[in-house]
């Protein structure tokens, strides 16, 4: 993972159509490609937009609508994790779609907490139990989590992620729609944290350790 470069997309949830969401995703993908990122993670339910906690989730979009994201993953040699509803136990729950250069269609996962990835980005393990109790695969190099939490919930969420990073000695990348997206290194040390607004948070591990940057989207 010596030159691996990763990114998290951050922006306030949008209330628009799936097609418009995809166009918006492609703008972030292009920005990440210009930074030579190999992985881009979007916030929770990024392909759906803002959903009140009391609302039930709709069915996922038709997979044919997602083809531009598969094409972008192939064109930029980038793995993309976007958020959308998926069917699980006869109901629609929060999930992720993983688009990768070697896949013709995305892989769907129901997701409670996040996904562990190995350096080759081809091994993905979704964490569906409490992170404190999982049996972490030692081959995993990164834990990613897609969120849309408000400021009142943020301290609890970030404290849990920092603890998780330190406990399992794994880097953690959080994409949060409502601000403060962040990257922690394998020791639970904060590398970079965003403020609010539409931006791309990037992280790269070099021989000197992790480095981070914030890139505003205009």
């Amino acid at each position: 993972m010596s030159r691996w470069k990763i990114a998290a997309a951050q922006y306030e949830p949008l209330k628009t159509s799936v097609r418009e969401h995809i166009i918006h995703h492609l703008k972030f993908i292009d920005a990440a490609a210009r930074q030579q990122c190999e992985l881009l993670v979007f916030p929770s339910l990024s392909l759906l937009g803002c959903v009140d906690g009391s609302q039930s989730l709709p069915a996922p979009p038709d997979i044919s609508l997602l083809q531009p994201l598969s094409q972008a993953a192939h064109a930029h040699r980038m793995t993309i994790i976007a958020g959308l509803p998926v069917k699980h136990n006869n109901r629609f729950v929060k999930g992720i779609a993983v688009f990768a250069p070697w896949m013709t269609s995305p892989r769907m996962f129901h997701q409670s907490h996040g996904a562990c990835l190995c350096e080759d980005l081809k091994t993905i393990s979704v964490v569906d139990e409490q992170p404190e109790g999982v049996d972490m695969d030692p081959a995993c190099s990164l834990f990613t989590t897609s969120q849309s939490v408000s400021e009142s919930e943020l301290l609890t969420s970030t404290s849990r992620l920092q603890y998780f990073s330190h406990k399992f000695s794994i880097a953690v990348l959080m994409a949060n729609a409502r601000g403060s997206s962040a990257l922690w290194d394998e020791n639970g040390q904060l590398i970079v944290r965003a403020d609010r607004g539409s931006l791309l948070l990037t992280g790269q591990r070099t021989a000197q350790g992790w480095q981070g940057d914030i890139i505003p989207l205009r």
Side-chain angles (χ1 to χ4, degrees):
M1 199 175 62
S2 58
R3 301 299 299 178
W4 195 22
K5 194 166 187 180
I6 60 177
Q10 176 182 292
Y11 55 91
E12 287 291 332
L14 307 174
K15 294 182 179 180
T16 186
S17 68
V18 173
R19 285 186 172 86
E20 289 298 319
H21 279 303
I22 290 172
I23 291 171
H24 193 246
H25 278 56
L26 291 173
K27 292 178 181 178
F28 275 90
I29 293 167
D30 287 343
R34 289 194 293 272
Q35 299 298 317
Q36 299 181 318
C37 294
E38 297 172 71
L39 171 71
L40 175 59
V41 181
F42 284 89
S44 177
L45 295 174
S46 61
L47 288 167
L48 180 61
C50 187
V51 176
D52 184 85
S54 62
Q55 289 179 274
S56 59
L57 297 180
D62 189 284
I63 199 167
S64 64
L65 294 176
L66 306 180
Q67 191 60 28
L69 299 181
S70 293
Q71 293 170 346
H74 180 76
H76 297 301
R77 307 299 300 170
M78 184 189 302
T79 297
I80 301 160
I81 300 178
L84 78 178
V86 299
K87 192 172 184 178
H88 179 63
N89 291 338
N90 296 316
R91 64 191 183 100
F92 298 119
V93 300
K94 289 182 181 180
I96 56 174
V98 179
F99 304 84
W102 56 88
M103 297 191 299
T104 56
S105 60
R107 293 174 63 190
M108 307 291 188
F109 302 89
H110 68 275
Q111 177 216 30
S112 293
H113 297 288
C116 297
L117 296 94
C118 292
E119 182 178 351
D120 62 5
L121 292 174
K122 294 183 179 181
T123 304
I124 299 173
S125 175
V126 172
V127 176
D128 195 36
E129 303 296 332
Q130 288 294 330
E132 292 80 2
V134 301
D135 185 14
M136 179 64 64
D137 183 345
C140 290
S141 303
L142 179 71
F143 178 78
T144 69
T145 178
S146 302
Q147 301 195 26
S148 183
V149 297
S150 62
E151 191 172 344
S152 61
E153 305 169 277
L154 196 56
L155 181 59
T156 300
S157 178
T158 55
S159 296
R160 189 185 74 244
L161 290 170
Q162 187 173 25
Y163 170 76
F164 178 79
S165 173
H166 178 74
K167 178 177 180 178
F168 293 105
S169 299
I170 189 170
V172 172
L173 177 67
M174 176 185 71
N176 185 40
R178 303 177 188 276
S180 296
S181 298
L183 171 68
W184 293 267
D185 70 9
E186 295 85 354
N187 299 311
Q189 180 72 34
L190 179 67
I191 299 301
V192 61
R193 173 176 287 156
D195 194 357
R196 297 181 66 87
S198 294
L199 51 85
L200 193 72
L201 179 147
T202 66
Q204 183 173 23
R205 186 174 180 180
T206 68
Q208 290 73 44
W210 281 100
Q211 299 174 354
D213 199 7
I214 303 293
I215 301 163
L217 255 72
R218 306 189 186 281

